[in-house]
Amino acid sequence: PAPTWDDHVAIDAPPETLCKGLDGNDSMRRKFEVMLRAAQNKITSAVEELDGEGTFKQDVWERENGGGGISRVMSGGKVFEKAGVSLSVVYGSMPQEALASATERGVDRAAGMKPGERVPFFACGLSSVMHPRNPMAPTMHFNYRYFETDGGVWWFGGGTDITPAYLFEEDMKHFHGTYKDICDKHDPEYYAKFKKWADEYFVIKHRGETRGLGGIFFDDQNNKDPDTHFAFSEECVNAVTEAYLPVVAKRKDSPFTEKEKEWQLMRRGRYVEFNLVYDRGTVFGLKTGGRIESILMSLPETARWEYDFKVEPDSKEAEIMDCFKNPREWV
């Protein structure tokens, strides 16, 4: 039977590895887990330092059907209303439709299997969403992951993207510029390709607008040797603090009005709509019996929906709405 959230059991402390009994320390599974655990430590420490008051609560859990995770969530911080950085390592078998939801080429990877036959898999990923209190400071999301299925099939995916409520072009130049530099270092075609991929992926189709102002997004990466893809993922996840936290530091104490706070809450409502309807990771987690608290960690504590809301012409809200309707080049 498919696992349910009841299969996830809290434990006291993180084990040495969540890849129990799978491979030696030289496997890509183990190597990717080690890299993400180090990145989780680095990022949560930097966020706590910037916040000044908030601290991350850690939950360590095991999945009876295989794997486990380390979830860290901050709520009630001075700067961040909510921030989460969650590591998961899961393996076992999943329905073919779950594989299709995990990757754009999921159907191809189930080729040759009988209808209804479950797919043996391994997935390791680090996911994060950070929601600052100040509406002038942007929300940020990242996810970096490694997948395997039986038969030696493997691929990498991930990305980092930003969701401001108000437009500050210098902030977008810094954020996008940080990731363009990394992309250019690894492959001169990466940034244009992955920036476009983000603009097309983070679309709220029923609204006809993007969730935010993009970044980079990539999936199905297996056209180079695994260590090459690993090196790119490692540099991207470790650049989160450089790309994002200086922007928050600059905007966290900016003055704002009640109306501007309400606009931020409405944009958070759009965030919720995308994550629950379209986000590939959310769909994959739900279809594979993932831990619900970790899957829905990305949702903000507060959001707002206002009936038939229209932005005022020539307002700051109208300015950024044009960006959501018509993605721009920032660097």
Side-chain angles (χ1 to χ4, degrees):
T4 69
W5 66 271
D6 292 319
D7 292 326
H8 300 84
V9 179
I11 57 178
D12 292 333
E16 181 181 347
T17 176
L18 296 165
C19 301
K20 290 184 178 179
L22 288 182
D23 298 296
N25 291 335
D26 59 344
S27 73
M28 182 55 72
R29 300 177 180 192
R30 180 76 176 102
K31 184 177 177 181
F32 205 75
E33 178 200 1
V34 169
M35 183 270 284
L36 291 186
R37 287 176 75 154
Q40 185 182 41
N41 291 337
K42 172 189 173 182
I43 293 166
T44 53
S45 294
V47 171
E48 286 183 345
E49 182 178 355
L50 175 60
D51 191 277
E53 293 182 7
T55 57
F56 283 91
K57 173 187 174 183
Q58 177 169 282
D59 287 327
V60 184
W61 47 275
E62 286 187 334
R63 180 174 177 265
E64 291 182 2
N65 285 38
I70 304 169
S71 298
R72 294 179 184 170
V73 177
M74 174 195 293
S75 60
K78 181 180 179 180
V79 175
F80 293 95
E81 182 175 305
K82 184 180 180 184
V85 187
S86 183
L87 172 74
S88 64
V89 176
V90 294
Y91 47 92
S93 66
M94 62 179 167
Q96 292 180 33
E97 61 267 25
L99 177 60
S101 72
T103 171
E104 292 195 346
R105 298 203 302 268
V107 175
D108 296 337
R109 294 192 172 119
M113 300 192 70
K114 298 176 182 178
E117 186 177 357
R118 294 177 66 84
V119 184
F121 80 100
F122 169 91
C124 176
L126 186 67
S127 299
S128 174
V129 177
M130 300 184 188
H131 296 286
R133 293 187 178 279
N134 195 305
M136 303 302 157
T139 286
M140 183 277 306
H141 158 262
F142 74 78
N143 173 276
Y144 291 91
R145 54 196 179 273
Y146 172 70
F147 271 88
E148 286 184 12
T149 62
D150 262 15
V153 178
W154 55 267
W155 66 99
F156 293 78
T160 309
D161 62 282
I162 197 160
T163 304
Y166 288 95
L167 177 62
F168 297 97
E169 291 195 16
E170 64 269 30
D171 295 352
M172 296 305 100
K173 290 180 185 297
H174 170 79
F175 179 83
H176 279 266
T178 300
Y179 279 99
K180 184 179 186 300
D181 288 345
I182 294 171
C183 287
D184 289 350
K185 174 181 172 182
H186 287 264
D187 190 317
E189 296 182 358
Y190 270 1
Y191 179 73
K193 178 181 178 181
F194 295 163
K195 192 268 184 186
K196 183 174 185 289
W197 206 335
D199 289 338
E200 293 175 349
Y201 176 74
F202 293 105
V203 172
I204 309 169
K205 298 179 179 65
H206 58 271
R207 296 283 188 182
E209 63 191 58
T210 58
R211 185 179 75 177
L213 298 186
I216 61 168
F217 179 83
F218 59 93
D219 206 352
D220 302 306
Q221 297 300 293
N222 60 3
N223 61 325
K224 301 178 181 180
D225 70 87
D227 286 333
T228 298
H229 289 299
F230 174 90
F232 178 64
S233 296
E234 181 178 32
E235 192 160 356
C236 285
V237 71
N238 279 290
V240 166
T241 52
E242 175 190 351
Y244 175 61
L245 294 185
V247 174
V248 177
K250 186 191 301 185
R251 305 298 172 189
K252 64 184 178 67
D253 298 317
S254 299
F256 61 88
T257 66
E258 182 178 349
K259 178 182 176 182
E260 289 167 338
K261 182 64 179 179
E262 290 175 354
W263 170 248
Q264 179 198 42
L265 297 181
M266 281 190 279
R267 292 312 306 175
R268 286 185 183 171
R270 298 291 204 268
Y271 207 96
V272 171
E273 290 177 25
F274 178 87
N275 280 30
L276 293 183
V277 178
Y278 302 110
D279 184 75
R280 189 174 296 156
T282 301
V283 173
F284 173 77
L286 295 175
K287 286 183 178 292
T288 55
R291 182 174 182 264
I292 300 302
E293 291 303 320
S294 298
I295 297 167
L296 300 184
M297 176 196 71
S298 63
L299 301 184
E301 289 191 349
T302 56
R304 180 185 179 98
W305 285 265
E306 188 170 320
Y307 180 76
D308 198 27
F309 178 83
K310 301 287 195 305
V311 296
E312 297 178 6
D314 302 319
S315 63
K316 291 189 294 183
E317 294 78 16
E319 177 185 36
I320 198 164
M321 273 302 301
D322 181 71
C323 298
F324 297 146
K325 297 282 188 180
N326 304 288
R328 299 182 187 178
E329 298 298 323
W330 301 105
V331 290

